[in-house]
Amino acid sequence: MKRLSTGLLAALVAVGIGSTSVSAATSSANGNIGTFAPTQVAQIPGAPPADFGTPPSGEVPILFNDRHVYSKPDRLKANRVLAALVRGNTILIPLRSMFEQMGATVSYDPASKTVDVSKPGSDVKVTVGRPEVVINGESRPLDVPPEIYKGSVVVPVRVISEGMGAYVQWVPDRRIVVVRYIPAPIPTPVPTPPPTPVPVVTPPPPPPTPTPTPVPTKNPYEHFVVGDYIFSPSVYNEFDPGETGKGGSYTARGAIEFPLFGLPWMLEGEYRQWNYPHYTNGKGVCPSFDQSCVNAIGAQGEVYVPAFTARDDDFDGRFGLKIADPRIYIGIGYLFRNTNYEGGAFETQTHGFGFGIEKLPDLNQPFSLYGSLYFYPLVTTNGLQYLGSGIFGSVQYRILRYSVGGTFNFGNSPLYLDFGYAGDRYDVKQNAPVDQTHNGPYAGLGIHF
């Protein structure tokens, strides 16, 4: 047979391979194989005899490369070893299972009942019922044609040996068919020597590009605190007719910007303290038609108040969302006011919620502007006040608070100069004695982070 070594050819038994046939007939009815040519499995000199193990049940078990060949679930016997068939003096084996063991691709055309087996260097075609095999385009006769047995195509073993160059042997004392197959090595292509590289003159590297001086970027989130002195504050209420330049007043504020839920927010607090004197003529009675007598809340009329330094403490907390640049926010605010007034004729604590708009300073710039405007529609006392004639009730105002100012940075220092103008207006809403105003210019120092 083709492509087999001389030593292996001497050991082959002509089991259904063309002109070579089985030496004695067998009965497939009782499973007797008969007496075949007395050949043995080829052995390596000095090596112990090959042990193929005990053959399992079946007509003629097959050993492929010294291992039992098992069928796939859609082959002759699911999860069982494959077995060859005996037809007269020829042994037939399952075509698909054996060729796939050898790494070949098997395709079947049910219309023509033709099987095509392909593998690099080999192409084998057989047709069910036709006693011939076509190997690499060359037609060769078969003693027994291929047939379909239990849904699988079986072929004489010579198709395996001649088509793939396999070693096939019948071992009579074991009643098994031995198939050995070693794929031919793929020739290694001779590497083509690389072409001789042409010398390339490398130009000198260009001079390094000077590193640009980084430009200060705008800080996306500002944080600062600042304190200011209010010069010449002007106060108008029941204790002061609106004179200016009396006493010192102060303001302080701080703010932080931060991201939340993917949006820029602002939290700010502002404190203002207004200090101003209340004068009296010392008569102690009303009406005196001067500043000694003060309008009381509700319907209590005028009340005599001795001289003292009045103080209004206002705290304004704000929470805002940025709506535009540069740092423009809308927000809500909470105002709490406390005074040092004495007596039940004057409110001492008021509070309420409001809303407004403001622009924070941009402290990464040498100079920036800022401002705020908040409106509190209802600011009321904590509890009921005595309104006279046995009547108690709350005191309420409408309040508008505002500020406008600027900042000036001291180079790269975190300190900056702050200046501006701040004030408010209280409009009587219920039981309040008179309208009020506080305002004045301020200046001070701040620090930003």
Side-chain angles (χ1 to χ4, degrees):
M1 293 184 295
K2 298 180 178 180
R3 296 180 296 276
L4 297 179
S5 65
T6 303
L8 293 179
L9 286 172
L12 287 177
V13 175
V15 184
I17 306 177
S19 60
T20 305
S21 62
V22 180
S23 64
T26 181
S27 172
S28 61
N30 58 18
N32 226 347
I33 301 301
T35 303
F36 291 81
T39 55
Q40 300 295 326
V41 179
Q43 301 288 337
I44 300 174
D51 183 6
F52 300 112
T54 302
S57 60
E59 289 194 35
V60 180
I62 303 172
L63 284 181
F64 177 75
N65 288 346
D66 297 343
R67 296 179 181 272
H68 292 296
V69 179
Y70 284 83
S71 65
K72 295 184 179 180
D74 58 347
R75 300 295 180 259
L76 293 178
K77 293 180 180 180
N79 301 321
R80 297 286 300 278
V81 293
L82 294 176
L85 302 175
V86 177
R87 292 289 183 264
N89 294 333
T90 304
I91 292 180
L92 298 98
I93 62 175
L95 182 146
R96 179 183 293 273
S97 298
M98 289 307 302
F99 274 104
E100 287 181 346
Q101 293 284 337
M102 299 177 183
T105 301
V106 181
S107 62
Y108 176 67
D109 181 9
S112 62
K113 297 185 179 180
T114 299
V115 182
D116 188 1
V117 180
S118 62
K119 192 174 194 271
S122 299
D123 183 75
V124 180
K125 289 185 176 67
V126 295
T127 302
V128 175
R130 183 178 299 175
E132 71 169 344
V133 57
V134 180
I135 300 176
N136 294 330
E138 179 185 348
S139 177
R140 303 181 188 182
L142 295 173
D143 292 340
V144 177
E147 63 178 271
I148 296 179
Y149 178 77
K150 294 185 179 180
S152 294
V153 177
V154 292
V155 297
V157 291
R158 66 172 291 183
V159 173
I160 298 293
S161 63
E162 294 188 13
M164 301 297 290
Y167 161 55
V168 183
Q169 183 179 8
W170 162 248
V171 184
D173 57 340
R174 296 295 181 90
R175 297 182 65 251
I176 57 176
V177 173
V178 175
V179 179
R180 289 199 178 101
Y181 173 72
I182 300 175
I186 300 174
T188 303
V190 178
T192 303
T196 304
V198 178
V200 178
V201 178
T202 304
T209 303
T211 303
T213 303
V215 179
T217 57
K218 195 172 184 178
N219 185 8
Y221 299 109
E222 198 67 82
H223 309 77
F224 67 88
V225 291
V226 60
D228 295 288
Y229 179 80
I230 301 176
F231 300 92
S232 301
S234 173
V235 177
Y236 173 82
N237 59 12
E238 60 268 38
F239 296 101
D240 194 318
E243 298 178 0
T244 60
K246 302 173 297 181
S249 298
Y250 310 91
T251 179
R253 67 185 182 280
I256 60 172
E257 294 177 295
F258 58 93
L260 182 64
F261 306 121
L263 297 173
W265 300 85
M266 172 272 295
L267 188 64
E268 182 181 22
E270 182 179 26
Y271 170 75
R272 296 178 185 176
Q273 182 184 97
W274 302 94
N275 295 292
Y276 52 94
H278 167 68
Y279 297 111
T280 181
N281 59 10
K283 294 182 179 180
V285 295
C286 289
S288 61
F289 304 104
D290 60 22
Q291 192 177 341
S292 299
C293 294
V294 176
N295 291 338
I297 60 176
Q300 298 186 60
E302 289 189 340
V303 177
Y304 175 80
V305 177
F308 76 107
T309 299
R311 187 181 73 246
D312 298 344
D313 296 303
D314 300 339
F315 176 78
D316 190 3
R318 302 165 185 171
F319 179 68
L321 171 66
K322 187 164 76 170
I323 59 171
D325 281 320
R327 293 189 167 91
I328 299 176
Y329 288 81
I330 59 172
I332 59 174
Y334 178 78
L335 176 65
F336 177 80
R337 182 193 188 205
N338 184 63
T339 69
N340 66 343
Y341 309 160
E342 297 181 0
F346 314 104
E347 75 281 359
T348 57
Q349 290 184 349
T350 54
H351 61 92
F353 286 94
F355 56 88
I357 185 171
E358 74 175 284
K359 179 197 177 303
L360 292 183
D362 192 351
L363 298 174
N364 267 12
Q365 301 298 324
F367 174 78
S368 67
L369 296 175
Y370 65 88
S372 65
L373 182 68
Y374 276 78
F375 177 64
Y376 295 85
L378 179 61
V379 177
T380 184
T381 52
N382 285 346
L384 298 179
Q385 301 283 123
Y386 179 69
L387 305 178
S389 303
I391 300 174
F392 290 84
S394 61
V395 178
Q396 299 175 350
Y397 291 95
R398 281 190 303 267
I399 301 177
L400 183 68
R401 291 169 59 86
Y402 58 89
S403 67
V404 60
T407 63
F408 180 79
N409 283 347
F410 298 105
N412 294 326
S413 171
L415 292 176
Y416 67 93
L417 175 66
D418 185 64
F419 53 90
Y421 190 87
D424 56 49
R425 178 179 177 83
Y426 286 59
D427 291 328
V428 171
K429 189 166 184 180
Q430 179 176 292
N431 298 323
V434 294
D435 295 338
Q436 301 184 32
T437 60
H438 306 75
N439 52 70
Y442 60 84
L445 292 176
I447 182 171
H448 66 98
F449 309 95

